[in-house]
Amino acid sequence: MIAPAPIDAVRLLLQGAEQGVAGTLVTLVGIEGSSSRAIGTHMAVLADGRHLGSFSAGCIERAVQAEALDVLAQGRSRTVRYGAGSPYIDVRLPCGGGIDLLFTPTPPPAELARVLAAHDRREMAELQLDGFTCRYPPALRVVALGHGEDLTAFAALARAYGLTVDAFAPASDLPGGLDIVPLPQRDRLPALATDRWTAIVFLFHDRDWEEFLLPQALGLPSFYCGAVGSRRTHSARIDTLRAQGVPAVQLDALRGNIGLIPGTRDCGTLALSILAEVVQDYQASATITAWAPTIRAIS
């Protein structure tokens, strides 16, 4: 992602530990009113001054860094309120709300390494922090299949956003200037690495390429599978897939007329529209399990 994710703070702390530099992990565990960051957001602060992450637009970060270094020196965890209700009357949030930050000094490097190893295996990783469980979903990954400017615009935008994108186009229609893998035949998908954190996007306007590839894609694990086209096109697509014997549960999962900006006919706007929908759906599924008090059962 363009902005650091919570797992990046964990990575910096482990990097510091391996270099002999201690650090504090700061976690957003409570919100009163509104906040520009979500529960579970991290900030890492190392003893040598390196830091990563934020909880506002720069209003409290220096105070948080100073607190983190003091916690590191004292060697004991603490929770501190900033904003409304805080003892620090000179530190305020522009939204007028209040946030509770948990400061955890020197998390065990072995635990950090375990979390990162699980995350790198694209598993949901968990870290226990003083009565809370922080969860780190694998990063969003995209598989895009199509041709023409719609595919190139979408692949370029998703990569610029910081996503891993596997893009495929017919061998006869490979665009230049982008890392796009040729599809040698219409009736067989290439080997795809997908999981429940993967989005599959079809960007063909020639539905002949969908006929065999789309049913195969629907059988792969993903949290999102969608194809471009109007509502009429999607209705015809569903009829074709049903006639091919595609199970109803897979048909129900297939997204049509995709994107958050209806009726767009510009390839750049279409790419933005689809990417926004994919990211929205990913964040909705990831946020549900991102954080919880440890006194609750973990599913």
Side-chain angles (χ1 to χ4, degrees), residues 28-41:
L28 176 55
V29 296
I31 297 173
E32 180 181 335
S34 60
S35 169
S36 59
R37 299 291 185 268
I39 293 289
T41 298

Side-chain angles (χ1 to χ4, degrees), residues 233-251:
T233 296
H234 187 62
S235 178
R237 175 187 292 131
I238 292 296
D239 290 342
T240 299
L241 293 172
R242 184 178 293 111
Q244 290 177 306
V246 175
V249 65
Q250 294 182 2
L251 295 178

Side-chain angles (χ1 to χ4, degrees), residues 87-118:
Y88 301 127
I89 61 174
D90 58 335
V91 181
R92 286 290 178 261
L93 296 171
C95 60
I99 59 175
D100 296 317
L101 301 182
L102 171 65
F103 292 78
T104 307
T106 57
E111 277 296 285
L112 301 180
R114 178 190 59 76
V115 167
L116 288 168

Side-chain angles (χ1 to χ4, degrees), residues 130-143:
D130 300 296
F132 300 94
T133 298
C134 291
R135 298 191 178 99
Y136 309 92
L140 165 58
R141 181 166 57 194
V142 174
V143 173

Side-chain angles (χ1 to χ4, degrees), residues 3 36 38 50-51 84 103 140 147-148 164 181 187 197 199 241 256 261 271 288:
S36 59
R50 284 178 287 171
H51 57 87
F103 292 78
L140 165 58
H147 50 210
T164 296
V181 178
D187 61 351
W197 309 103
L241 293 172
I261 305 173
I288 291 172

Side-chain angles (χ1 to χ4, degrees), residues 1-5 8 138-141 158 160-164 279 282-283:
M1 298 291 185
I2 294 175
D8 296 324
L140 165 58
R141 181 166 57 194
Y161 181 64
L163 303 184
T164 296
V279 172
Y282 167 80
Q283 291 185 344

Side-chain angles (χ1 to χ4, degrees), residues 1 120-122 138-144 154 158 162-166 192-201 221-224 278 282:
M1 298 291 185
D120 291 344
R121 292 193 303 267
R122 295 190 62 79
L140 165 58
R141 181 166 57 194
V142 174
V143 173
F154 177 77
L163 303 184
T164 296
V165 181
D166 296 326
L192 300 178
T194 71
D195 54 28
R196 60 173 292 210
W197 309 103
T198 302
I200 304 174
V201 180
S222 68
F223 75 92
Y224 179 106
V278 167
Y282 167 80

Side-chain angles (χ1 to χ4, degrees), residues 161-246:
Y161 181 64
L163 303 184
T164 296
V165 181
D166 296 326
F168 301 86
S172 59
D173 190 26
L174 278 180
L178 280 177
D179 182 15
I180 295 181
V181 178
L183 286 169
Q185 53 197 61
R186 296 173 185 261
D187 61 351
R188 183 176 300 172
L189 278 177
L192 300 178
T194 71
D195 54 28
R196 60 173 292 210
W197 309 103
T198 302
I200 304 174
V201 180
F202 274 73
L203 294 155
F204 290 108
H205 290 279
D206 179 357
R207 288 189 48 225
D208 289 346
W209 279 92
E210 291 184 2
E211 183 178 359
F212 297 105
L213 301 184
L214 192 49
Q216 295 172 46
L218 286 169
L220 296 174
S222 68
F223 75 92
Y224 179 106
C225 187
V228 294
S230 66
R231 288 184 173 84
R232 179 180 299 176
T233 296
H234 187 62
S235 178
R237 175 187 292 131
I238 292 296
D239 290 342
T240 299
L241 293 172
R242 184 178 293 111
Q244 290 177 306
V246 175

